[in-house]
Amino acid sequence: QVQLVESGGGLVQPGGSLRLSCAASGSIVRIHAMGWYRQAPGKERELVARSESDGSTNYADSVKGRFTISRDNAKKMVYLQMNSLKPEDTAVYYCNAYLTTTWGSSQLYWGQGTRVTVSS
């Protein structure tokens, strides 16, 4: 089995910072790409940031210059440093990973999500 577990969400004031973490565990041979998505109330889930196996990253236009995605491949973790947070960043943030398991399956896995609320 494979699990992704997010942590680090919470309540923060506008202009503040949070760091989200996501730990992958289980029967994993290799993690190819990892990313963060978010879903605000009444809206569809959207890409926030993604880290590819070649080290490249991409970001939603709305978070460029404010958010930074990073990975620790040895620990099977991905992080999202969020600075200069705005009320519109309020959402449930989900981690995902495209990975290969020990039984040879390559597929996308999702975490359960961590809530981020930006409010004064």
Side-chain angles (χ1 to χ4, degrees), residues 27-98:
S27 304
I28 300 169
V29 171
R30 182 181 177 187
I31 300 176
H32 305 284
M34 300 187 83
W36 290 95
Y37 287 69
R38 67 186 181 187
Q39 187 166 18
K43 295 188 177 181
E44 294 187 353
R45 192 174 297 188
E46 62 176 2
L47 171 70
V48 176
R50 185 173 172 84
S51 171
E52 304 295 341
S53 58
D54 63 359
S56 63
T57 57
N58 59 80
Y59 296 88
D61 288 342
S62 60
V63 307
K64 283 180 181 177
R66 300 188 298 123
F67 291 10
T68 302
I69 188 171
S70 60
R71 285 170 65 169
D72 184 332
N73 291 323
K75 294 182 178 179
K76 299 185 178 66
M77 294 195 69
V78 64
Y79 307 95
L80 185 67
Q81 178 65 44
M82 305 186 295
N83 299 327
S84 302
L85 282 160
K86 304 175 181 179
E88 51 263 44
D89 294 317
T90 295
V92 177
Y93 284 70
Y94 297 90
C95 165
N96 75 2
Y98 184 75

Side-chain angles (χ1 to χ4, degrees), residues 104-119:
S105 170
S106 294
Q107 64 185 79
L108 189 66
Y109 289 84
W110 289 89
Q112 293 298 307
T114 185
R115 185 174 301 275
V116 173
T117 302
V118 184
S119 175

